[in-house]
Amino acid sequence: MSWITFLRSPCLAALSALCLITFANAAQAGEQPVTLSGSIEWSMHNAKGQPYRILISKPEGEVPYTGGYPVLYVLDANAYFASFHEAKRAQEQFRHAIIVGIAYPGEEPLNFLRRAYDFSPPVPAAQNTPPQGGQDELLDFLQQQVMPAVADRFPVDTDQQSLFGHSFGGMFGIYALFTRPALFDHIVAVSPSLWWHDRFLLAPERRFSADVRAGKTDVTHSSLALIVGERDSPQEIQNSQALHRRLQPLSAWGLRSSMLIEQGEDHMSVPLRIESRVLQEVLTARRQ
């Protein structure tokens, strides 16, 4: 067989295919999953047996003079944990913090059904699609299971524990402030869904405000940061602005509140723009 004949023969095609398979197998053999340096993960189940992934961005350096590391809890962590983790590690002033991501099994960035239940109030049966009403169950899970588990593994500054939530998660964070104000020192609520279920947060807001004014709730060291995108819906922007105005008088009792409109961002892009701002907000607060 001449070289010309060989080059035109099926043998060359078969040899080429074999080479491609060999090269592909070699490349795949060298592949490794991407991991986040300085992070760990464990699994937990709540009281009803629902599974969660707990993602931890470990603190670096010596334990602060307070005797513990500050902690930021991040909801919807499948979507947001990695960017917070790397924003923290890239900036030396934030490396001493612990970031705890509350995530769900699987690779979906935003698990619609799980978050719709976890972050919402109970609703009438006729409106309960998708299933809702798990906000107190999630708060119990955080308070009774997750936070003690973190404190078992790391020295924690119990006076510097914060919560970040976006959209439904932001609504949940504000609910946590109104109903369990001692649980978190700082809440960052991004594009919170304050319109949900006929603005159900208005009732707990009134009770919270009355308790603060009556001296029953101490907000001396508490803060709420409201952040929305410039291209969020007008309703979401206006609702957040109105909430900020209503809470400002509580500054006389110590509550810090702020309102930011992030230029050029919409409902889904804004949480991915503000990681450093959030870390600055919750990790630089000081108390005596």
Side-chain angles (χ1 to χ4, degrees), residues 2-3 38-39 54 61 94 117 130 137-138 149-150 153 157 167 199 203-204 235 263:
S2 68
W3 279 108
S39 68
I54 307 302
F94 301 138
Y117 183 80
E137 294 172 22
L138 181 56
V150 174
R153 289 166 171 82
D157 183 352
S167 193
R199 302 176 72 189
Q235 182 184 32
Q263 298 300 308

Side-chain angles (χ1 to χ4, degrees), residues 83-145:
S83 58
F84 270 106
H85 170 70
E86 296 299 353
K88 185 201 85 167
R89 295 185 69 238
Q91 300 176 79
E92 187 173 358
Q93 61 176 323
F94 301 138
R95 291 178 188 169
H96 66 293
I98 301 169
I99 296 177
V100 179
I102 309 302
Y104 301 114
E107 298 182 358
E108 188 177 4
L110 296 168
N111 187 319
F112 174 72
L113 291 178
R114 290 291 304 274
R115 68 194 303 273
Y117 183 80
D118 278 352
F119 303 154
S120 64
V123 296
Q127 301 175 17
N128 199 33
T129 303
Q132 299 158 60
Q135 56 188 9
D136 286 305
E137 294 172 22
L138 181 56
L139 281 173
D140 287 343
F141 176 60
L142 293 175
Q143 184 172 11
Q144 299 169 14
Q145 295 180 241

Side-chain angles (χ1 to χ4, degrees), residues 23 32 54 111 124 149-150 153 198 215 217 224 228 231 244 281:
F23 290 143
Q32 297 292 331
I54 307 302
N111 187 319
V150 174
R153 289 166 171 82
D198 293 331
T217 295
L224 170 65
V228 297
R231 293 186 290 156
H244 175 54
E281 175 76 30

Side-chain angles (χ1 to χ4, degrees), residues 221-236:
H221 302 290
S222 300
S223 74
L224 170 65
L226 295 162
I227 304 174
V228 297
E230 178 192 21
R231 293 186 290 156
D232 255 311
S233 73
Q235 182 184 32
E236 286 185 319

Side-chain angles (χ1 to χ4, degrees), residues 26-125:
Q28 290 174 358
E31 290 178 354
Q32 297 292 331
V34 174
T35 58
L36 295 175
S37 299
S39 68
I40 58 175
E41 174 181 342
W42 68 76
S43 298
M44 296 185 75
H45 292 75
N46 68 6
K48 287 191 171 181
Q50 289 295 322
Y52 292 84
R53 298 168 59 206
I54 307 302
L55 314 179
I56 304 291
S57 176
K58 296 190 293 185
E60 300 179 30
E62 299 294 326
V63 176
Y65 72 93
T66 58
Y69 299 105
V71 185
L72 170 63
Y73 289 84
V74 174
L75 302 176
D76 285 321
N78 298 66
Y80 305 129
F81 174 80
S83 58
F84 270 106
H85 170 70
E86 296 299 353
K88 185 201 85 167
R89 295 185 69 238
Q91 300 176 79
E92 187 173 358
Q93 61 176 323
F94 301 138
R95 291 178 188 169
H96 66 293
I98 301 169
I99 296 177
V100 179
I102 309 302
Y104 301 114
E107 298 182 358
E108 188 177 4
L110 296 168
N111 187 319
F112 174 72
L113 291 178
R114 290 291 304 274
R115 68 194 303 273
Y117 183 80
D118 278 352
F119 303 154
S120 64
V123 296

